[in-house]
Amino acid sequence: MVVANWLHSSLFALPLSLVAFCIGVYFYRRSGTVLLHPIVTASLIVAALLHTLNIPYSDYQHSSTLLYALLGPAVVALAVPLKQNLAVIRRAGWPLLVTIAVGAVLAPVVAIIIALLFGAGESVLLALSGKSVTTPIALALAEKIHAALSLTAGIVVLTGVVGALAGPPLLTLLGIRDKRILGVVLGINAHAVGTARAFEISALCGACSALAMGLCGALTALVLPLIISS
Amino acid sequence: MTPPALSNIFHWLIGTAILFGCERLGTLASTMLALPVPGAVVGMLLLLFGLMVNGGIPRGLAQISAQLLFLLPLLFLPAAVGVFFLRDLAPADWLALIAAVVIGTLISLVLCAMLLQRLLNKAGSKW
């Protein structure tokens, strides 16, 4: 009885998340591939455990309010890397800003058009609208536009992994060798996962990516609710 | 490991207070002015503006922010786990979703890269 209660409380959910995250980080560092981004391993571990122990997802979710509460301050914390990399704008100027603005609109629009062609339902379309925005901003946005949180998180993570994996070889294929262009493109399309990948390539590539991610996220957060509500 | 000096803890507390303060302020502004923008994003813009006016980044704030951003995957783990428990999504929806994310991301990667390269050439900027 005591054990049963414990399984459904925060005292179980929080250590579970923490341990799964640590295992995820360990495997990510060991493997060195974005396919094993901590969130991928960690979410698989948690989902498998909840399933085996027969714990409803809603119980786990409700016991994790502490983690949700920290998402807001984490979004605010994004301002710090943004400020640190603001100097890149001064050098790259308007082409950078234009690309970020276009990319912020392009990424979700292309995805939504493809989903429409495949006949997706409204819930999928809404969740896709925040696909290339960094997860904490995407979740805050999802709440505003009433998109499903889990679906949004899943789409954002998948987008990040696909973008971070495909980005570098794709640009080589296009004959673009400038690592700063690669950084910006990764930041716009693959948010934090892409930025982690960019930092592996070079510090400059990572700085460009962090900057593009932050600006793209802020821009989407400013514009998207206006489009959805009208 | 040596225990952190008292002044470090003081700096971290200030950094934490700044993050929570900006978030509260942003949320307050968002609800009071009925802004469509999420409160946390307003808070982020407030902090960015504050840092630009201030010039530098307080040491404690930089350290706490780096920690929090490192922990980000942990913070949205509960939401991500939910993907495995979605019941009300039809198989056709799943197919559309995966196609949209994979193909959409590839297309937008290519278009963004080509656009930026073209614009940089046009501007002739050496960055």
Side-chain angles (χ1 to χ4, degrees):
Chain A
M1 197 58 212
V2 177
V3 175
N5 279 336
W6 175 66
L7 284 177
H8 298 265
S9 72
S10 314
L11 285 177
F12 175 72
L14 290 180
L16 171 65
S17 304
L18 197 64
V19 170
F21 171 70
C22 290
I23 297 175
V25 170
Y26 174 80
F27 277 116
Y28 178 56
R29 293 203 172 144
R30 268 312 194 66
S31 68
T33 159
V34 284
L35 259 187
L36 284 184
H37 188 270
I39 192 67
V40 178
T41 322
S43 59
L44 279 172
I45 293 174
V46 172
L49 256 170
L50 294 182
H51 198 78
T52 3
L53 295 175
N54 240 335
I55 302 170
Y57 168 66
S58 56
D59 282 13
Y60 168 71
Q61 192 188 19
H62 288 309
S63 316
S64 303
T65 36
L66 180 69
L67 296 182
Y68 278 111
L70 284 172
L71 268 175
V75 173
V76 176
L78 285 170
V80 173
L82 203 52
K83 165 73 175 66
Q84 283 164 337
N85 299 312
L86 223 49
V88 174
I89 290 190
R90 253 171 250 138
R91 276 176 275 147
W94 63 269
L96 182 62
L97 293 175
V98 171
T99 308
I100 291 172
V102 172
V105 178
L106 194 70
V109 166
V110 172
I112 287 172
I113 290 173
I114 295 172
L116 276 174
L117 292 178
F118 275 85
E122 199 196 334
S123 62
V124 173
L125 297 180
L126 270 179
L128 275 174
S129 57
K131 89 180 243 297
S132 63
V133 182
T134 180
T135 317
I137 294 184
L139 289 181
L141 262 175
E143 259 169 19
K144 275 279 185 198
I145 64 172
H146 306 295
L149 287 187
S150 288
L151 200 54
T152 305
I155 287 174
V156 173
V157 171
L158 184 62
T159 302
V161 172
V162 170
L165 276 179
L170 214 55
L171 258 66
T172 313
L173 218 68
L174 288 171
I176 299 173
R177 269 171 219 92
D178 192 330
K179 292 295 171 258
R180 289 160 300 192
I181 296 183
L182 176 61
V184 171
V185 170
L186 281 175
I188 295 173
N189 293 294
H191 52 89
V193 187
T195 302
R197 180 83 190 85
F199 270 112
E200 287 169 14
I201 293 166
S202 77
L204 182 62
C205 186
C208 292
S209 185
L211 177 81
M213 174 184 92
L215 286 181
C216 182
L219 200 64
T220 312
L222 292 176
V223 177
L224 188 63
L226 294 173
I227 299 173
I228 300 277
S229 62
S230 63
Chain B
M1 261 184 44
T2 49
L6 214 59
S7 72
N8 272 344
I9 297 179
F10 178 68
H11 281 295
W12 291 338
L13 283 178
I14 289 186
T16 313
I18 293 175
L19 288 182
F20 275 91
C22 284
E23 196 231 354
R24 286 281 83 208
L25 220 63
T27 312
L28 212 66
S30 176
T31 41
M32 292 246 290
L33 306 172
L35 299 176
V37 186
V41 175
V42 178
M44 174 185 120
L45 295 174
L46 283 174
L47 180 58
L48 181 63
F49 184 70
L51 290 176
M52 283 164 76
V53 171
N54 184 43
I57 299 164
R59 185 160 53 115
L61 178 64
Q63 287 166 347
I64 287 291
S65 298
Q67 274 308 317
L68 204 54
L69 293 178
F70 168 73
L71 286 176
L72 248 186
L74 174 63
L75 303 186
F76 62 76
L77 182 58
V81 170
V83 179
F84 300 103
F85 296 89
L86 289 171
R87 293 271 176 272
D88 48 350
L89 219 54
D93 274 341
W94 277 112
L95 181 70
L97 186 156
I98 291 172
V101 169
V102 175
I103 305 172
T105 304
L106 295 182
I107 294 178
S108 123
L109 270 171
V110 171
L111 291 180
C112 284
M114 285 174 21
L115 174 69
L116 181 56
Q117 196 188 32
R118 192 87 31 111
L119 291 178
L120 283 172
N121 283 341
K122 204 175 223 174
S125 60
K126 293 258 181 287
W127 59 318

